Amino acid sequence: MKNLNAMNNITNKAQKGFTLIELMIVVAIIGILAAVALPAYQTYTNKAKFSEVILSTSVFKTAAEIAVQAKGVTDIADLDQATKGIPATIADGNGASVGEITMANGIITAKGAGGALDGVTYTLTAAINNGAITWTEGGGCLTAGLC
């Protein structure tokens, strides 16, 4: 009887912890999730950084709109930097992600700077219609999926 009780105690002990295969499955699932999430996160952060480049063009946009409405500019060719109240070239923009920003013949060109944004451009092309400006987006940011 004593041996039977001792045997029951041994077989009734609950298994504690995880097996090696269970741990390997969890590690594999976490690895797959990380492999999917990391590129999506990098794209998200690059878009956020490039939003600084887009925002930095507002200085030229506002100045060009004032030139058309208040100063009577009717020709796109007159919308150049350092004329009609439009500022000169902005070098190294307003943030770490913003490179040079220029305006010539009604086209604003802003360049990204740093890492994945190097060489990526954002352009705004003006069109004057009855004293109002409309802007058309363009540049390498469209193909890169950043704007």
Side-chain angles (χ1 to χ4, degrees):
M1 189 74 165
K2 190 176 186 182
N3 286 338
L4 189 57
N5 284 338
M7 224 168 152
N8 282 338
N9 286 340
I10 291 171
T11 57
N12 288 339
K13 285 187 179 180
Q15 183 181 14
K16 295 181 181 177
F18 298 103
T19 64
L20 181 60
I21 191 72
E22 290 170 334
L23 292 174
M24 289 175 62
I25 290 171
V26 169
V27 169
I29 290 171
I30 291 172
I32 291 169
L33 290 174
V36 170
L38 189 60
Y41 176 74
Q42 287 174 336
T43 301
Y44 175 77
T45 56
N46 287 337
K47 281 183 180 183
K49 288 177 185 176
F50 201 77
S51 69
E52 289 182 36
V53 177
I54 294 170
L55 182 63
S56 66
T57 62
S58 63
V59 173
F60 284 112
K61 281 177 63 176
T62 303
E65 289 166 359
I66 290 172
V68 168
Q69 293 173 2
K71 297 183 180 179
V73 174
T74 57
D75 189 12
I76 296 292
D78 292 335
L79 294 177
D80 287 331
Q81 61 198 31
T83 62
K84 310 282 187 206
I86 299 171
T89 300
I90 300 172
D92 294 329
N94 297 323
S97 302
V98 183
E100 184 180 62
I101 308 163
T102 59
M103 183 171 192
N105 297 321
I107 300 172
I108 301 170
T109 304
K111 296 178 183 174
L117 303 182
D118 270 344
V120 179
T121 59
Y122 175 69
T123 61
L124 287 171
T125 305
I128 300 174
N129 187 14
N130 295 328
I133 293 184
T134 56
W135 298 98
T136 304
E137 287 184 325
C141 66
L142 294 174
T143 56
L146 297 173
C147 59

